[in-house]
Amino acid sequence: MTWQGWLLICILLSSFLPGVIIFSLPEDKYRFRTSLNICGAVIKIIFILIMNVGIYYGHSFELRLPLIQGMELILNADPLSALFTTLSSVLWLLTTIYAVGYLEDSPNRSHFFGYFSLCVTVTIGIALAGNLLTFLLFYEMLTMTTYPLIIHRGTPQALRAGRNYLIYTMSGGAVFLFAIVWLQSITGPLDFSAAGFSPRLLDTHRTALIFIFILLIAGVGVKGALVPLHGWLPQAMVAPAPVSALLHAVAVVKAGAFGIIRIILYVYGIDNISSLHLYSFLIAISSVTIIWGSIRALQQNDLKRLLAFSTVSQISYITLGMSMADQPLAIIGGLVHLVHQGLMKITLFFCAGNLAETLGIHKISEMKGVARRMPLTMTAFTIGALGMIGIPPTVGFVSKWYLGLGALALGNWWVLLILAVSSLLNAGYFLPIIITAWFGKQEAHWPEERRFNRFETRLMLLLPPLFTAFVVIAAGIIANAEISPLAWVKFIIREYGL
Amino acid sequence: MLTNNLYNLCGLLLFGMGLFALFACSHLLRKILAVNIMSSGVFLVLIATAYRPLGAGEIDPVPHAMVLTGIVVSVSVTALALILACRVQETSNHSLSQSERNTNDGDSEE
Amino acid sequence: MIIKSRRKNKRRPFDPILLLVLLLTIGLTALLIKANYTIPVTSFGLAAEVARFQPRSGVESPVTAVLLNFRGYDTLLEVMILLIAVIGVWSLTKAPFPQKAVKTSPVQLAVVRLLAPLMCLVAAYLVWQGSHLAGGAFQGGAILGGAGVLLLVAELPWLRTIHSRPLRIGLLIGPLFFLGVALLGIINGRELLTYPGKWSGSLLLLIESTCAVSIGLTLASLFAGGRPADDLIGQTKTPACNREQKRC
Amino acid sequence: MTDNILAAFDLVLITTLLLLAWKLLSCEDIFTAVVLFISFGLLMALAWVRMRAPDVALAEAALGAGLTGPLLLAALRRMERIRKYERRLDLDEERNDYKKPKKKQAPPL
Amino acid sequence: MTIFNSSAWIVAPIIIPLIGGLLCFLWRRDTFFIALFISLANLLSVTTLLRQFLLFGPLRYRMGGWEAPLGIALRLHGPALLMLLMTAVSGIGITLYARGYFSFRISALKHNNRHEQQERFFWPLWLMLWTALNALFLSGDIFNLYVTLELVSVSAAALAALSGKPASQIAAFRYLLVSLLGSLSYLLGVVFVYKTYGILDLEMLRQIATPGPGLQMALTLMTLGLLLKTALFPLHFWLPPAHANALAPVSAILSGLVVKGSFFILFTLWFEIFASSITANALDLIGLLGAGAVIWGSLQAIRQQRLKLLVTYSTVAQLGYLFIAFPLTATENISQEVWTAVTFMVMAHSFAKTAMFMAAGTIFLQVGHDRIRDLAGIRKSLPITSFAYAIAGVNLIGLPPSGGFIGKWLLLTAALTSGQWHWSLVIIAGSLLASVYVFRVVSRLFLTPDEAIIQECRPHSPLQEWPALFLAIIALLLGLIAPYFSLILETTEIVANLAPGGGL
Amino acid sequence: MINGDLTQSIYLLLLFLIAGTPLVLAGACCTTKGKMVSRFLPLAAVPALLASYFVPAEMVVEVPWFFMSGRMGLDGLGRLFLPVSAFIWLLAGLSGRKYLESDPHRARFSFFFLTAMAGNFGLILARDILGYYLFFALMSFAAFGLVIHKGTKEAHKAARIYLLFVMIGEIALFLALALIADKTNTLMMAKITDPALSPVTLFLLFTGFGIKIGVLPLHGWMAESYQATPVPAATALAGAMVNAGLLGWLRFIPLSEIVSPNGALLFMILGALAALYGIIVGLTEKRAGAILAYSSISQMGLMTVVFGLGLTGFEAGRQALLILMIYTTHHSLAKTSLFLGYGVMKSQPRDPSKWQLAGLYLPALALAGLPFTSGAVAKSAFKEFAISNGEPWLGLSGFFLPLTAIGTTVLVLHFIEVVQRNEGPTTGIKPVDRNSWWLSLLAVALTIWLWPAASIQASHTLEPIKIWQAIWPVITGGLLYLVWPMVATRKKNEKNDYFPEISSLTGNTTEFDWTGKLNRVAKWFQQNGKTRKIDWGKRDSAAKIDLRLRQTEKIMQRWTIVGLSYLLLGIALYFLLI
């Protein structure tokens, strides 16, 4: 095995081992657990950076484990996986710090952090998967590892949410499995590759391939919260804030979106999809999701539910970008939104968590004037929200810009209208919150106020959102620089051969 | 060949009878008896297959050995089944016929 | 008739399912018979084979040769089934000896005293003749078992005090010996259950004898319907710990 | 001639066997059934002899009829005795053990 | 090293547990150590066999030195070897667990020697059962298979009755009767085979067997009997009470190993020995029943209120998958995949179900009941057990990388490649239903209840918890070591001849 | 060369400081010492002023990493817009210093003020379309903070409306920019030429920037916001930020390079309507700030007309550019002055003095185009331009311009009256720095004359005929204004619903509940979605299924049923195995 292979293993182990150790730790080993967690995260980031550099300079990172004939587990780091791994690992570090602060004196922390680490391991696995089988492997494991986190609180709502999550994701997984097997029975074993499967198959298996595609999208669309399949996401909001952050920004929803990207770009290949005339289907799905998610978000009073519906809407931008994959600009928009949405949404969830943890605020109607009490938190929130709307110079604008350009380059001018309406709706639900928070007058006492010494809340709760908010702006401002996500996405596109 | 066939027929009829009785009767002992009848039927078929009239050739000893084995097995299983039936009787308050019913209830306490 | 009897037992006078079962049984039996008569008689079994190898088996009776030599493996396993039945029965319950000694009638006692040794003799004879005529370990064992049953029916008081260990040794002596001889083949560098050519006859007789003893004991134990009274003595008891204390 | 006699014997034997089986499976009283079964076993041994299988016949006589019959009778006696006396009480202790925690059931979550 | 090349090793998996069983019955003291030693020795012998197999290929052993039509042959081929391996590994786990289980019961429960007695008889019966299973897997003679089947039945029934509870007695009695019926059906089938061919050896039968009325009836009867013993859907009635009411280690044995024995015979007969006589319609019928088992068993499992019953019904459902594989073999070029798939399903289910029953048993012992509703937060006091249960559950659902997943994947592939996609729907539906019943429990176990409810009841010994986890993890990782298994399966001659011939 | 490099670096530094200073100061507002920042508000505009003087034209700095393609620099337009804007921000900052002293939220105010300032300066400097968009958004959203600053109910309402319009504008601009970028394949402004602008793009640009300018259908936010915003901020809003919209047009629809007859028509018609509409509605208004807003609408309408004229031809475009520069400079300074004056009057406890009134009249009449004021220069230039363009635009000079001049006169007189009627300071009013006002007056009076670029137009106005042409509309307007009170008194009783339909058009409804409306839509969807859901959780149905399963399983466990299935299976197998 080459050092590249070992590096991939190390990347996976750097969160897996801490996770396993944490499970066995007693509850009161606070310091050890925290430092283990954070060390793991930092080491993982270092490994991933090494990997990124390697990828940039053209090394190939691959690890193959043949199972039986026609089944092979492949870990393969291409630029796209590098993008996702980097995002996940960095956000994991932040979320871990945040979670340490958030759960400072709640029960069952070993349990929580153990699953947390496993969850990230699995997400990285999804990112590194080199074929559909491996993808499925980690995809299903993701369900397993996130489920305990969703029901962590153990309340009836949490249980219900967990149950629904399982129903959705297990069904999705089953459909996905079915589709994969069907696909492979036609195409034979497939690695992820830019070309997709052989176009010759289109002549003989046209209908089957269309069906398979729809099934595949439905399978990953459950986690990716495409509209008829998004029902679990708002309910899963009963979980603690770090979990929501994980679900929305780091792991689950992202995994779904990532799966869609993989399927479109690396399994089918853009040419095949184009000759199957599937793009219109994708555009329709993603447009409906974008609009519907926003409309549903508008009517929420619960902050986290609102954010959840906002995720439904926003994550579909990625699908939208993929649905115009004929056009590199649109792909760029979609891919870069993978990162951007993560940054913005995690900021928002951190802030929502801060409000809940410090002041007991869960509802938007309770947020009047809260910015005066927690200015830093609300600053981060505002930046995140503006990013969601797509105000420059935040990263949200960058994504939208590329999506718009891609749509225009394809002549899909009406996609631009979708973007416009979506922005308007986003503004419709985010701006009132911001106004209320900053300029509203506090009417009653906060539901459950807790005071902390120097800062408006715990430092560990404050730093992560501030950092991500900063990145939301900074990554937008330096979008064209060599180190920005956008640049990496362009690198991906180059490597992909467009 | 007539004899073979006759005994074959008898064996198969015994098997059928036992089969029906096993399904139809509710008394535990009767079920055990039914199974014994069945096995007798099977043995009969086997032995009848091996049978050759005097002078018509060597008798195949292998089926005989098989039946011997079968008889021993059936006796030991019968013994175990009988003791089990007694235990069923001992441990449950129900009458003989009801106890068999009771088995149906997979959800009963423990 | 069967239906009639059910009709009396059950409140429901007529069970259509049962009728269906009857019809189906008849159908299956008919199929069986049909199949039985359509089998072309082509083979004559293994009689010729047995006859060919009989001289090398060490016994004269073909059935015994098959039973103990050619297909000795089946027999080995079969002996084990008997043993398992005993273990199973023992595991289920204690032997239901009457609480207090029953006064056995003198006539019965006399009969038993006469018959039991006689049956032992018959058994020994059967085992011995098994090598060339009908008979063998099972038959002999069965007679021995019958003797045991006789004793048990007589409810002799000393039967209750039979200890577990000698009984177990008795039960196991046959199987263990059989197994040992079987392993002898491997030790000799041959296959399992291969008897050394010269002594195979006498070895088979020995196996039959020990097995007959064990089978007799087995059958008697099965009839006794449970393990001996002293079966659990000798186990060191760990102090009973109250469950409730443990839990809280 | 001998063939005919033998055939008649076969027919009678088979009919008897079948009738016995039918009877023992359908008769009201289980004790009768057991007794019939013993005779069935003996007739079976006769059949084995007729089939030129003396080993089997011996085994059937000794085991099938000679031992299974007493076994059945013993079991029958044991069952009837059980029905007369109360069953042993100590058998239930384990169940009681398990039942205790039921008192403090977890409140429905 | 020549000693390890001796062909006599093939009898070791039969002889070693047999001796162990006899000794355990005789000795009565330190039986656990005897059993442990036996299981290790058994593992050693199986490993040696594995080595021999990889070096020399399939083995054939003449019992008593007699050639085939007269004597009995043992044969070691890929599937049999895998079954032996499975039994050896599961057996070690069960042995260890049983020790923990009994010692806890002996020390923690009120008793009148009852639990000592149970343990005392458990060991010989278990080792005998082990012998029987190994003999069954190795047997190369159709009548010898009957004997081993009986051996399995009797010891299994005795084990099932071991717990002494009324329900278990009833269930065991029913189990015994069913086993007898099954064995007799099988035996009658053997009689028909012997009538037709005058041969009992499997290999020879394979060579001369041609479709005909005798074989047709024989196959029907043998299949019927074996289906009954394997508890395929409409004939599964005996399994839930027997498995659910037994002692936990016994349940593990019954569900994990015993049903696999009869299934193994059935599969061998259908696809190896009499493959030429199998028709597509019959395969479809079996597949249909398998599908029914999957759906019905899962629905029943979902419905259950008690943990052990749930696990038991899941066995009914999981056995269905094995039969769904039948119709998939009808296409020539994929039958090898199906063979692999079935082997994987069998092994994965064996490990997982064993682990699951162990976990259920531990939970039952610690909590004092197994009402699923009231199991909230057991994870707190029994973390390892809960994990074991969850991991085993993952296997049952068939999530990657478990062995169950590999099996399902191969079955799905076979179904879709051969164009029989309706079976794949059943498989998918089955895993969804499985996830429902698995998570019904897991979500309870992993709940965080109020502090007040959590009672500190640490298990008595690590033996109660770890074997389950050990087996569950083996099942989970089975997928990752799949290449080795497929290697074993592929080096078998049998596989080459697996595809049913002209009968289709 | 070292010397050259040094100056180059100094210029660079200055360029960065233009937007950087306000941003840094804005950052300082967020610290604990944020309240002190308000004292340095004027300072923030100083680098911009300096730069507009020192930094040579066509100095372009490329920062490729910055927001996708960073190009900054001063060009001709920039060198005009920057000093005017900087000056106005300076004045606003000056006036704000005092105004804020007693304001508890002065840190917040300073933050938004400075951010808006940075945005304003930045967009002037931006040389690529996204840069412009970025700073435009920065300014617009920061201004929101200024509009809502007072925190009153009116302020909240105004801010909400403002935000809605900003969002619409942003989206329109986003679409327009995307279309442009798609056509030109670059982000550089310089590449925008005729083929890059489709009618749709033109319309979107018109909408996007028109909102800031207040062109007709998109003016709804203006009156409320001008009224609600604190005076210093309103000054900047009306004086500087409005121009950003105009600059946007100029940047993205480069006159003299683009000819679009249809676009011209759109601009001219809507501009002309706005010019008249602003006057008429302004006359019905009772609030000084709002009146100024309507005046702005009217004046910007005129500029829209000029812009439209400029779209008719290349040469016209070149001329229009110059006129727009003159006009916008004039208008910005005059409006600034009016706002500051209004602020001063409003905040002082006593009635305005004569000097003060005179000071108010100067910019007011300049707006109306009184001779010798900047307004006269601007208007005469406009007139000449219209004439030079020939038919069909001659009517503009003869009829339309005088009409608006009359109207403007009336409107500003109305404004002055409203200011005079001021009942003294209410509690919320803070003193506005008087010096800044005087400074602004000075600028109004002098700028146009000192400005070299406008010298030709300025000299033209000194001709007698021009003076007359300029003065008669003012006189007419003054006369009309004398008649006004009668009209006003007659309508007094109905003061609440002058032009009710118009007030609803302006978004003046008391509750424009736009989130509520969307909510209703969403709820409809939700309800309709819910009824169609299958209710899996129904207890009784679940129990029923459970019971069925249980019963069936029990039946299946009967021996007879087992026998049935066993036998059936056997028979079926037998036949199937043939």
Side-chain angles (χ1 to χ4, degrees), chain F residues 413-426:
Chain F
L413 289 174
H414 175 56
F415 166 72
I416 291 170
E417 195 203 305
V418 169
V419 172
Q420 267 185 312
R421 251 195 285 153
N422 184 12
E423 282 102 23
T426 48

Side-chain angles (χ1 to χ4, degrees), chain A residues 79-311:
Chain A
L80 179 61
S81 27
L83 184 79
F84 193 26
T85 43
T86 316
L87 172 78
S88 294
S89 55
V90 171
L91 293 189
W92 179 45
L93 174 63
L94 293 173
T95 315
T96 307
I97 296 171
Y98 185 82
V100 169
Y102 193 85
L103 299 169
E104 198 153 78
D105 32 44
S106 67
N108 289 316
R109 274 169 298 166
S110 287
H111 190 59
F112 181 89
F113 284 105
Y115 281 116
F116 214 68
S117 302
L118 291 188
C119 188
V120 169
T121 313
V122 171
T123 310
I124 300 290
I126 285 179
L128 293 177
N131 61 4
L132 276 176
L133 177 65
T134 321
F135 186 87
L136 178 77
L137 162 79
F138 288 110
Y139 189 77
E140 295 284 14
M141 277 160 76
L142 187 61
T143 310
M144 300 297 103
T145 46
T146 40
Y147 174 70
L149 293 175
I150 289 177
I151 61 163
H152 182 72
R153 290 233 165 98
T155 55
Q157 294 101 306
L159 281 181
R160 206 177 312 128
R163 200 180 61 208
N164 272 323
Y165 174 67
L166 278 180
I167 289 173
Y168 273 96
T169 49
M170 296 304 294
S171 313
V175 170
F176 195 47
L177 170 67
F178 181 73
I180 292 175
V181 175
W182 195 1
L183 181 67
Q184 297 214 354
S185 74
I186 292 174
T187 64
L190 274 179
D191 291 0
F192 289 147
S193 76
F197 51 73
S198 156
R200 270 178 292 125
L201 291 168
L202 293 180
D203 305 329
T204 46
H205 294 95
R206 196 175 186 83
T207 322
L209 285 170
I210 289 175
F211 267 111
I212 292 170
F213 183 78
I214 292 172
L215 289 176
L216 282 172
I217 294 294
V220 286
V222 169
K223 282 214 174 73
L226 289 180
V227 134
L229 314 168
H230 67 289
W232 60 274
L233 189 59
Q235 294 193 358
M237 286 305 92
V238 294
V243 176
S244 306
L246 197 77
L247 287 181
H248 287 250
V250 185
V252 178
V253 176
K254 275 297 148 56
F258 186 77
I260 292 174
I261 295 172
R262 278 291 192 207
I263 289 164
I264 291 173
L265 295 187
Y266 293 85
V267 175
Y268 268 63
I270 51 180
D271 294 333
N272 286 334
I273 292 188
S274 161
S275 29
L276 289 172
H277 306 298
L278 284 168
Y279 284 128
S280 42
F281 159 74
L282 279 171
I283 292 194
I285 288 275
S286 48
S287 306
V288 167
T289 308
I290 290 174
I291 301 296
W292 178 249
S294 300
I295 288 175
R296 290 283 281 141
L298 263 180
Q299 69 187 82
Q300 306 301 327
N301 188 24
D302 186 302
L303 184 57
K304 281 178 81 181
R305 272 181 76 83
L306 181 142
L307 293 181
F309 277 113
S310 147
T311 302

Side-chain angles (χ1 to χ4, degrees), chain A residues 298-299 391 393 397 439 477 480, chain F residues 64-65 67-68 133 519 522 526:
Chain A
L298 263 180
Q299 69 187 82
I391 307 290
F397 173 77
F439 301 102
I477 285 181
N480 236 20
Chain F
W65 51 262
F67 205 55
M68 296 197 255
Y133 185 56
N519 271 354
Q526 187 193 28

Side-chain angles (χ1 to χ4, degrees), chain F residues 100-244:
Chain F
L100 288 177
E101 255 166 23
S102 54
D103 192 326
H105 299 312
R106 56 182 179 277
R108 188 175 81 190
F109 183 90
S110 315
F111 173 79
F112 286 119
F113 188 88
L114 290 163
T115 316
M117 188 194 289
N120 199 347
F121 293 162
L123 66 90
I124 293 170
L125 295 177
R127 300 296 295 126
D128 65 314
I129 58 176
L130 287 183
Y132 194 91
Y133 185 56
L134 163 66
F135 287 113
F136 191 77
L138 191 65
M139 183 188 82
S140 303
F141 282 98
F144 166 81
L146 300 175
V147 176
I148 205 173
H149 180 76
K150 277 183 190 164
T152 57
K153 208 176 162 192
E154 289 78 29
H156 270 271
K157 195 174 83 183
R160 269 215 313 275
I161 296 166
Y162 173 77
L163 204 56
L164 175 62
F165 277 92
V166 166
M167 270 319 295
I168 293 172
E170 288 288 318
I171 288 165
L173 276 184
F174 172 78
L175 299 180
L177 297 194
L179 286 166
I180 291 172
D182 179 48
K183 279 275 163 55
T184 60
N185 265 329
T186 169
L187 296 177
M188 292 208 277
M189 277 177 182
K191 295 286 164 60
I192 299 171
T193 47
D194 204 3
L197 296 176
S198 63
V200 177
T201 318
L202 206 62
F203 177 74
L204 288 170
L205 285 172
F206 174 77
T207 315
F209 292 119
I211 283 173
K212 192 97 323 176
I213 289 170
V215 292
L216 198 46
L218 310 165
H219 62 283
W221 60 278
M222 223 170 182
E224 298 301 316
S225 304
Y226 279 22
Q227 179 63 34
T229 315
V231 169
T235 311
L237 208 57
M241 288 194 243
V242 166
N243 291 346

